[in-house]
Structures are given as structure tokens and as C-alpha cells.
Amino acid sequence: MAESVKELRNGLRAFFRRLDMPMFLLVLAALCYGFVIQYSEMAAGFITRRSMVTQLVAGGVGIVAMLLVSELDYRQLAAGWRFHLPVTLGLTLLTFTSLPVVYRPEGSDDSAWLRFGIFSLQPGELLKFTFILTLAWHLDRVQEQINHPGRLLLLCLHGAAPCLLIFLQGDMGSALIFFVIFVSMMFVSGLSWKYLALGAGCAAGLSPVVWLLLPDYLKNRFLVLGDLENASLKEAYQQLLGRRILGSGMSFGKGLFSDDFVYVYAIENDLVMAHIGQALGFVGAAGVLLLLTVICGKILLIARSSRDYLGCSICTGVFVMIFFQSALNIGMVLGLLPVIGVTLPFFSQGGSSLAVSCLSVGLVLSVSAADKKRRARRKG
């Protein structure tokens, strides 16, 4: 019995030595901050107790998954795409069927959710995790030939598949995130400037076609940008009210449990920063920005310290996912970008998004742990 306890203690010590504790504590702090904000919204009647419990469960599952993934070899996870890709891709394709498990939440623009009893899932979020792994693995395999036309074509098809799939699903925000992840990982992998310029030209040329494919309500959301105060279109109301709510907290906010909160649709997810502003003011909102910035900066440091091409590529994908998603969400609240259904990582209501954010950080922790092992072997 004593030996078993000693082995367990030694195992835990070894685990925490491998774990990048600053990265883990930063994410844990963001999760706790997010739980406090969601609890404030529950107290105000903006979300139900069931939604709060779902968020707590998703966060708990995310933490456990993050720690488990941190102990796994990210190379094996990437090479095992044959196992996790069919699952995440299959679940995403399931949303295109008319099966009873497919549903559209009230007020949502797309049918991107699956419901199994009391459990709901957004497969597109899981697909982000798989996409980062599979693209990093693909880039690692062709790193010396990335600018070869044939290799580049296959990589472009790899990136276009999930973007198009999510776009057809109706989730414009997630489709844009997939696209930016793809472009960023390609750029960091050494894609030639001439191909980047060609791609930018093609994107500009295709933009009128994309505009024609957008539904009218989304076009209107773009048209009201920059003039929310004078816009007569109904699409401006949500953002205009959200921006006013954000500023209503002034410097230090009304307090987490004020009876003077104002509600706007999607204040628990898309516009969660508005509630942070009214509850905790500029200081609270600045704290969120600082925390997300430090998390993103720490991911970049881990990517830079990694001597492994695959690990660096994975960290790049996770960084872009968190950074760009945060920028889009905050831009929506400020009225600089249209509302396209993008959550704020670690803070917005949404179990799938929260769990996948934690799971993705687990990949970064895995890269960091592998780098520590390499340094230890060199010293030994």
C-alpha cells in the first residue's frame, strides 16, 4: 500500500513537472472568470440554471480533456487522423440530414447542432480541433515541397473542404475562422509570397460571388456597420444596444449582481463582452482582454521554443483560432464587425466551444511537454 502511494505521488510529481503550469493556470483563470460572468447572468435571469450547469460540466470536461491530451504525444494524435477525422466529419455531415437529432436553437441562423436527449453538441467546433491536427500533419509531410503546384493544390483542397462544408451549413463565422486558420498555418509553413498574392487576388475576385450567396439578413448586417446610430435597418438594433450596454458600466461597472442590468439578445454568447462591461466596467473588460492576450502570447512562445515543425504548426493553428475568434467577437460588440455567431473563447455560453477551446490548449501543452522532455534528454 505504501509503495502504491509512493508511486502515485511520484507519478503526480512527474506529471506536474511536464505540465506547463503558467499556461494551465492562465486557462484556468479564464475559465473561472467566465464562470463568474455566467453566474452573474443567471442571477440576472439572462440564462437558466440548466444552462449554467451545462457550462460548468463543459468546463470540467474541458479541463480533464486538456490535461489528458497534454500527456499524449501530439505526433501520434496527428498521425491518428484516420480515427478522429471520420468521427468529427461524420457528426458534421449529420447536420445536413433531416434526422430528429438535428436542431436549430431559437434565434439561430443555422442548423449546426445535434441533440441527443439532454445533451447537445455543435460538431463544427470539434471539427476545428481535427482540422488543426490534420492540416499540421499534412504540412509536416510536405514541408519541403509546400510550394510545389501539385502539393499546394492538395493542401488547398484540404483547407477548402471544411470551409465550404461549414459555409453550406450556414455558420458564416466558423467558416471564416477555418479559412484564417488555414491561411495562417500555410504562411508560417513557408508558403511563397507569390502564391499568397495570387490567393489574395482570387479572394478579391470571388468576393462579389460570395456577397451574392450571402442571405439578405447577413448583407444587412454588413451594410449597417459604421453608422449604427443612424441606421434604420433592424439588424443594427442588437449591436447598437450591445455597445451601449458595454459602456453603461463606466469604469468599474454596476457590480456582478446589480438589479439595473439591461438585456440584449445573445448577451450570454455573441455579446458576452457587453455584460462584462456593464457588470465590471472598463476594468473588467480590460481584464478579459489582458487574460486572452497573455494566453495567446504564451501559445506563441511555446510555438517559438518548439524545435519540431509539427508542434510549431499545431500551436500556430490553436493561436489563430483563439486570437481571431476573440477579435471577431469583440469587434461584433464594438460595432466594427457584423454579428456572425462567434463566441468569446472561455467566456461565452456554449459547451461545445468551451470544451474544444480547452481541448485545443491541451495540444499546446502536449507540445510544451515534449519540448521539456527534449531539453531534459540533452542535459542528461
Side-chain angles (χ1 to χ4, degrees), residues 51-106:
S51 297
M52 183 67 209
V53 172
T54 299
Q55 192 78 351
L56 288 170
V57 171
V61 171
I63 291 173
V64 173
M66 177 172 58
L67 293 176
L68 287 175
V69 171
S70 73
E71 276 294 281
L72 299 177
D73 188 338
Y74 61 89
R75 302 177 197 82
Q76 294 181 1
L77 286 171
W81 62 269
R82 296 175 183 83
F83 301 100
H84 52 79
L85 177 60
V87 175
T88 56
L89 184 60
L91 289 171
T92 304
L93 290 173
L94 198 60
T95 63
F96 289 91
T97 70
S98 57
L99 294 174
V101 294
V102 181
Y103 84 105
R104 173 183 294 187
E106 183 180 353

Side-chain angles (χ1 to χ4, degrees), residues 12-35:
L12 289 174
R13 286 176 180 172
F15 169 75
F16 284 109
R17 279 197 299 268
R18 291 190 297 269
L19 183 66
D20 191 317
M21 192 57 69
M23 181 82 253
F24 173 70
L25 291 177
L26 284 168
V27 173
L28 190 61
L31 286 171
C32 292
Y33 198 160
F35 291 150

Side-chain angles (χ1 to χ4, degrees), residues 2 35 43 48 52 63 77 86 116 120 134 151 164 169 173 183-184 190 208 234 249 251 284 318 338 345 379:
F35 291 150
T48 64
M52 183 67 209
I63 291 173
L77 286 171
F116 306 97
S120 61
T134 56
R151 300 292 189 183
L164 182 59
Q169 195 181 60
V183 173
S184 301
K234 64 180 181 179
S251 296
V318 176
K379 291 180 180 179

Side-chain angles (χ1 to χ4, degrees), residues 99-121:
L99 294 174
V101 294
V102 181
Y103 84 105
R104 173 183 294 187
E106 183 180 353
S108 175
D109 302 327
D110 53 85
S111 299
W113 282 262
L114 300 175
R115 174 174 286 166
F116 306 97
I118 62 172
F119 173 72
S120 61
L121 174 70

Side-chain angles (χ1 to χ4, degrees), residues 151-166:
R151 300 292 189 183
L152 182 57
L153 176 61
L154 292 176
L155 284 166
C156 288
L157 291 175
H158 189 153
C163 293
L164 182 59
L165 188 64
I166 299 299

Side-chain angles (χ1 to χ4, degrees), residues 282-323:
F282 173 80
V283 172
V288 171
L289 290 176
L290 178 62
L291 199 50
L292 288 171
T293 300
V294 175
I295 288 173
C296 289
K298 179 61 175 172
I299 294 174
L300 284 180
L301 287 176
I302 294 173
R304 183 180 179 182
S305 64
S306 176
R307 295 293 180 264
D308 179 57
Y309 184 92
L310 177 61
C312 181
S313 188
I314 288 174
C315 289
T316 299
V318 176
F319 162 78
V320 173
M321 183 186 78
I322 295 176
F323 177 82

